[in-house]
Amino acid sequence: MSDTPFGFGLPPEEPEDGDEGKKKESPGQGQGGGQGAGGPGNPFGFGFPGAGGPGGGDNPFAAMFGSMNPNDLGAAFQQLGQMLSYEGGPVNWDMAKDIARQTVAQGTADGTKDASVGPAERSAVEEAVRLADLWLDDATSLPSGSGTAVAWSRAEWVEATLPVWKELVDPVAERVGLAMGDVLPEEMQAMAGPLIGMMRSMGGAMFGQQIGQAVGVLAGEVVGSTDIGLPLGPSGKAALLPVNIETFGKDLGVDKDEVRLYLALREAAHQRLFSHVPWLRSHLFGAVEGYARGIKVDTAKLEDVVGQLDPQNPEQLQEALQQGMFQPEDSPAQKAALARLETALALVEGWVDAVVHAAAKPRLSSADALRETLRRRRASGGPAEQTFATLIGLELRPRRLRDASRLWASLTDARGVDGRDGLWEHPDMLPTASDLDDPDGFVHREQMDFSELDKMLGEAAGGGSSAKPDLTKDEGDDESPEDGGK
């Protein structure tokens, strides 16, 4: 056993005969494997007994850092210090933000770099959103939800959306943090407090690194603040990313003004829905959290990784996270949570798809082509969405977008715009997963007249008339020439 704690060795004293003294050392005697502890292979004199590797028989740090230049070495130690000193929540969000910004600065795979948005681009975005809201007035009864229209760079998108990513990811990351402490036997946990704290700090840093990378990649793909069907940006602020819109439309053979306007229609439609359906945001995020609660961590896999952590391979835990350690519980509650989430995402995206198509079809010659491009894009998902699916076990894309879009279109034909949009008044009125299987059955099902019920409750609260409303009326009884059957 080494006489030095943790295997750290002090540099030997300078031999009296200088270089001649160093030459007399046998290769196994020096802390640096034949090069003295202060030599190039081991500038810090650290040694781990029995840990061989290139750059020094006893020194894994030389193998990890020996080939780096001084600047890279300093950055590596700084990052390591951040990992071990972090004492916050389950994700190191400061690290996530830094890595996301670094990823954005590197540019996308096609060589496109981020750039500040100029006045002309801001003006074009504002005009596109203004015109989009005007067109949507004919396609939906929900009023405009875009108080302002902004043009963001990729870096600005990262800054604006990180608070929402925190809401999405923290519940799952918290489970992993707890699991990292549970892999040790209970009788050892009291003695291993510092080790557990260090493991959780490393877990928070690893999550921060992965989330930052994914958000940075996603910033190079998104065209607005609502691309994944969730309100990622501030409420009432319609946002588009000009640099990504240009990349999106480059090979489509469609005029760039039409591309921008079509994407502005989608962003403005999302804003109307999230602004004027007050329960929708909490409903979606509640579905995400409900799904996260049912995810169990593969503790056997985590225990195996933690038990075999190699100082020469600090990326090992990160690689394990990338491979995925999350398994949905095969229980009725978890299945219901997953169905609720998938259906909610599909209904949001399906409504936006149907409404935007109704607004764009009579006015844009490329409406059909752009609609199909966006549908395929949402269905397949990009590399960042796949990263989140692996990392937190959740696919943030609607599996049944086309089914939902057809159902909303059928509702428009059967009940009119007001009747269709009226279903957003309460989550219990929305179609379910089974309704997506039988859209005609849902469309033509008799609907309770909720306006009469509201009137009855209002009168009861105010001590008004005690007359009972007729809640058994057939849907067609309300039709009249004035309202057009809506």
Side-chain angles (χ1 to χ4, degrees):
M1 181 175 177
S2 171
D3 293 332
T4 53
F6 306 109
F8 291 170
L10 295 175
E13 295 181 3
E14 187 71 19
E16 293 180 0
D17 50 357
D19 292 339
E20 291 299 318
K22 294 179 182 178
K23 291 178 182 177
K24 293 176 184 177
E25 274 187 9
S26 65
Q29 289 174 339
Q31 293 284 352
Q35 279 191 322
N42 185 9
F44 295 95
F46 291 169
F48 274 65
D58 286 344
N59 187 9
F61 287 95
M64 292 164 58
F65 303 127
S67 61
M68 293 183 179
N69 63 46
N71 291 334
D72 290 340
L73 185 61
F77 274 110
Q78 183 180 13
Q79 187 172 12
L80 181 63
Q82 290 176 347
M83 289 172 59
L84 298 180
S85 63
Y86 176 68
E87 297 180 351
V91 178
N92 188 332
W93 286 104
D94 290 336
M95 179 176 285
K97 178 180 174 180
D98 291 343
I99 291 176
R101 293 293 298 263
Q102 292 169 15
T103 303
V104 164
Q106 292 170 2
T108 52
D110 62 2
T112 304
K113 297 287 187 179
D114 192 22
S116 299
V117 180
E121 291 172 319
R122 294 187 187 279
S123 178
V125 165
E126 291 170 359
E127 177 61 22
V129 172
R130 185 197 65 78
L131 186 56
D133 260 333
L134 187 64
W135 290 2
L136 287 171
D137 285 340
D138 296 332
T140 174
S141 62
L142 298 179
S144 173
S146 308
T148 57
V150 294
W152 283 342
S153 66
R154 293 167 178 169
E156 289 173 322
W157 182 90
V158 168
E159 295 279 354
T161 62
L162 270 179
V164 178
W165 289 119
K166 188 176 188 298
E167 288 187 59
L168 285 172
V169 176
D170 270 353
V172 180
E174 178 67 33
R175 294 182 62 83
V176 177
L178 294 174
M180 291 183 78
D182 293 340
V183 297
L184 293 176
E186 186 174 349
E187 61 273 12
M188 292 181 61
Q189 290 187 18
M191 297 183 293
L195 176 61
I196 294 175
M198 184 179 73
M199 289 166 59
R200 288 178 176 169
S201 294
M202 290 181 65
M206 294 300 183
F207 259 108
Q209 189 171 13
Q210 290 301 302
I211 295 296
Q213 179 72 20
V215 170
V217 173
L218 192 58
E221 301 172 1
V222 295
V223 295
S225 71
T226 55
D227 274 27
I228 67 168
L230 295 172
L232 296 179
S235 177
K237 186 173 288 188
L240 295 176
L241 282 72
V243 64
N244 290 353
I245 291 175
E246 185 174 348
T247 301
F248 171 82
K250 185 167 58 176
D251 299 323
L252 296 180
V254 178
D255 181 79
K256 65 179 182 181
D257 291 336
E258 285 203 13
V259 173
R260 185 194 302 112
L261 186 49
Y262 190 88
L263 296 176
L265 281 165
R266 288 183 52 82
E267 178 73 9
H270 277 105
Q271 293 296 335
R272 288 185 181 225
L273 198 56
F274 291 125
S275 295
H276 298 291
V277 181
W279 55 264
L280 181 57
R281 188 183 190 279
S282 60
H283 179 77
L284 287 168
F285 281 77
V288 172
E289 187 173 353
Y291 178 76
R293 281 197 301 269
I295 293 176
K296 60 182 179 181
V297 180
D298 187 347
T299 53
K301 183 174 182 179
L302 181 61
E303 185 174 359
D304 183 62
V305 170
V306 173
Q308 300 182 33
L309 279 178
D310 182 357
Q312 297 188 60
N313 186 13
E315 291 84 16
Q316 192 175 41
L317 184 58
Q318 177 179 332
E319 291 170 0
L321 290 175
Q322 287 178 314
Q323 293 169 6
M325 292 185 292
F326 314 107
Q327 303 169 346
E329 289 183 355
D330 189 18
S331 66
Q334 177 67 355
K335 289 178 180 178
L338 179 59
R340 177 180 170 223
L341 175 60
E342 290 182 341
T343 302
L345 287 172
L347 289 175
V348 168
E349 287 299 285
W351 183 88
V352 168
D353 180 77
V355 167
V356 167
H357 185 69
K361 178 70 173 174
R363 300 176 174 94
L364 297 178
S365 59
S366 57
D368 288 330
L370 290 170
R371 182 190 203 188
E372 187 60 27
T373 299
L374 265 297
R375 279 181 165 185
R376 291 179 179 177
R377 186 173 186 257
R378 285 292 288 123
S380 61
E385 286 180 290
Q386 293 162 12
T387 298
F388 281 111
T390 302
L391 187 62
I392 67 173
L394 177 63
E395 292 185 353
L396 295 174
R397 56 179 183 265
R399 293 181 180 275
R400 308 191 65 180
L401 168 59
R402 293 177 187 270
D403 293 338
S405 182
R406 281 193 292 268
L407 187 146
W408 288 118
S410 297
L411 282 168
T412 309
D413 294 338
R415 305 183 187 179
V417 169
D418 291 342
R420 177 201 66 198
D421 293 346
L423 293 178
W424 290 107
E425 290 180 6
H426 193 277
D428 290 344
M429 298 174 64
L430 287 178
T432 63
S434 60
D435 292 326
L436 295 180
D437 296 327
D438 181 23
D440 289 338
F442 179 82
V443 168
H444 298 293
R445 186 183 306 157
E446 290 186 2
Q447 299 292 308
M448 178 178 284
D449 189 337
F450 277 83
S451 63
E452 290 291 341
L453 180 61
D454 288 341
K455 181 179 178 182
M456 178 185 69
L457 294 175
E459 290 176 346
S465 171
S466 60
K468 295 182 179 180
D470 182 5
L471 300 181
T472 62
K473 291 190 299 181
D474 212 64
E475 179 182 320
D477 295 342
D478 289 335
E479 294 183 5
S480 64
E482 288 78 17
D483 62 20
K486 297 181 183 179

